[in-house]
Amino acid sequence: MATVKSMIVGGCFGCFSCFLVVFQLVGFIIFPISLQQTTGLTIGDHRWSTSIWWIINLSLTVVCGVMAKRNYDKLFNGLLLTEAMNNYFKFVFGWLTVCVTLADSWFGCETHRSIWIRYRDLATANGSCLGLMGRTQLVRVMLRFFIVVLVITAVCAIVERQMYYGVAYGSQWHYFWMHNIYPYTISHFRHVYHLLHILLMTANVRQLQNRLDRLQRFGVTEHMEACRAFYGELWQINEAINELFGFSQALNIACSFAQIAFDLYWIYAMWVSHNRGIELQLFCLVPTPIIIGFLMNAAKTYQNAMHALEATLLDMDCSEDSAMAPLRYLFLTQLVRTPLKLTAKGIFDFDYTLIRKLVIVILTYVILFVDISR
């Protein structure tokens, strides 16, 4: 049993390291970083030698834009005005999302490093593994993240397979599909990387709540200040995540919902003209809502963890220890003044209300283009 457990733990640490490598390959991480069972989290300085994959992705982005310009006629020629605008906006939004994502990764490098450095410092101070999480908690987070990634990968692979075999080679749709693969891939990776950070923060907030619960049960009031300090560090990490993913995720979310709107318009256009291929267009709708759903669910879980932390503080019985009351008041004041909240540079919050707002935008776009096309 112990051997199986050690294998699972080792496998999860290996998966975590592999995911970090993947995010380096797509240009999101431009500094050395690794997580080992024995040495913990190791973070290096940003150097040009560690930016090679970012440079490669920047080059691919430029090539993608140049090729789209060069093959403009193959992509858009012969389409109606509304159809050409629809495809043009779809490609440009995706391409701009990649540009902003790479810009955020480069200019936010030190902010990015600060996130992992704070996790490492918290782990060092508490004898934990990553932040306030021990190995068991980290394994649980990685198992959940791994399952989510498997689902997303399977869905995207099925859709791409349908597109590969369903779109005629050399056709206009084939060229459009080929030119959009790279922007779509980077967009999905950005969502997944943001999801990883949200899951890690949620687990850390829950560990802080568990510490407060132990304080209540065992009456160790002298540790309350330490918990306040831990919360301050978590708030700094939260703000760094918002800073790092701010503009890129704001545009990425907008791009994702724009893609849904564009695909819905094409479904309508194909249905009206009785064209073949409407099934393929329906397949194109599937990945983005699933990824956004996972992301919003993680954000909601994070919000619930924050509320649970606040509820634990409010439920503390301070009648037997007069020193606990002022400390609890200070902590509650800290929670009110510096809440843990996921935002995109203040443009919008990451929660389920975002879906309702953007659904209205999608319907408005589709209705507008349908009306213009008549």
Side-chain angles (χ1 to χ4, degrees), residues 30 37 40 70 81 86 93 114 138 172 175 186 192 220 240 242 244 270 280 289 294 328 336 343-344:
I30 54 177
Q37 292 191 61
R70 183 178 180 181
L81 177 61
N86 190 74
F93 282 172
S114 71
L138 181 58
Q172 192 172 41
Y175 279 107
I186 298 299
V192 170
V220 188
N242 290 339
L244 176 65
M270 289 179 174
L280 289 176
F294 279 128
R328 186 185 68 164
V336 172
T343 68

Side-chain angles (χ1 to χ4, degrees), residues 3 13 26 56 61 74 92 95 104 124 132 149 161 169-170 193 243-244 249 271 365:
T3 304
F13 273 84
V26 295
I56 290 174
T61 305
K74 294 180 179 179
V92 170
W95 186 79
D104 272 359
T124 302
L132 301 178
V149 171
R161 182 183 181 278
Y169 179 80
Y193 192 43
E243 180 73 19
L244 176 65
Q249 275 299 77
W271 177 69
Y365 172 87

Side-chain angles (χ1 to χ4, degrees), residues 161-296:
R161 182 183 181 278
Q162 292 294 327
M163 293 296 294
Y164 180 80
Y165 288 104
V167 177
Y169 179 80
S171 64
Q172 192 172 41
W173 281 109
H174 176 264
Y175 279 107
F176 190 73
W177 171 60
M178 291 296 294
H179 282 75
N180 276 280
I181 284 181
Y182 179 69
Y184 280 0
T185 303
I186 298 299
S187 172
H188 294 342
F189 269 116
R190 194 61 171 177
H191 284 315
V192 170
Y193 192 43
H194 195 197
L195 175 65
L196 174 62
H197 279 283
I198 296 174
L199 293 178
L200 292 175
M201 277 296 293
T202 302
N204 275 279
V205 173
R206 284 174 174 167
Q207 287 305 304
L208 180 57
Q209 180 199 354
N210 292 338
R211 287 172 179 261
L212 288 174
D213 188 52
R214 288 195 295 270
L215 288 182
Q216 167 68 11
R217 285 185 285 133
F218 298 108
V220 188
T221 56
E222 59 267 22
H223 292 166
M224 178 67 83
E225 283 297 327
C227 289
R228 286 187 59 215
F230 295 153
Y231 178 84
E233 288 296 312
L234 292 179
W235 181 80
Q236 292 287 350
I237 294 173
N238 179 90
E239 292 303 296
I241 291 173
N242 290 339
E243 180 73 19
L244 176 65
F245 290 92
F247 288 128
S248 60
Q249 275 299 77
L251 188 56
N252 202 5
I253 291 288
C255 178
S256 296
F257 280 91
Q259 289 172 7
I260 296 174
F262 300 150
D263 290 337
L264 286 174
Y265 170 77
W266 270 114
I267 290 172
Y268 166 80
M270 289 179 174
W271 177 69
V272 169
S273 58
H274 303 287
N275 288 343
R276 294 182 178 180
I278 192 170
E279 298 85 1
L280 289 176
Q281 200 63 52
L282 287 171
F283 267 105
C284 292
L285 270 175
V286 176
T288 300
I290 290 178
I291 296 172
I292 295 296
F294 279 128
L295 189 65
M296 293 299 108

Side-chain angles (χ1 to χ4, degrees), residues 318-337:
C318 303
S319 59
E320 297 182 0
D321 191 345
S322 58
M324 182 72 81
L327 292 176
R328 186 185 68 164
Y329 173 77
L330 290 175
F331 205 158
L332 287 171
T333 303
Q334 185 178 5
L335 292 181
V336 172
R337 291 181 177 177

Side-chain angles (χ1 to χ4, degrees), residues 120-132:
R120 182 191 62 188
D121 293 344
L122 281 173
T124 302
N126 292 274
S128 51
C129 185
L130 186 67
L132 301 178

Side-chain angles (χ1 to χ4, degrees), residues 47 79 120 135 143 146 150 162 199 312 353 357 373:
R47 299 186 299 270
L79 296 174
R120 182 191 62 188
R135 290 185 180 181
L143 285 175
F146 184 64
L150 279 181
Q162 292 294 327
L199 293 178
T312 301
T353 60
K357 295 174 183 176
S373 63

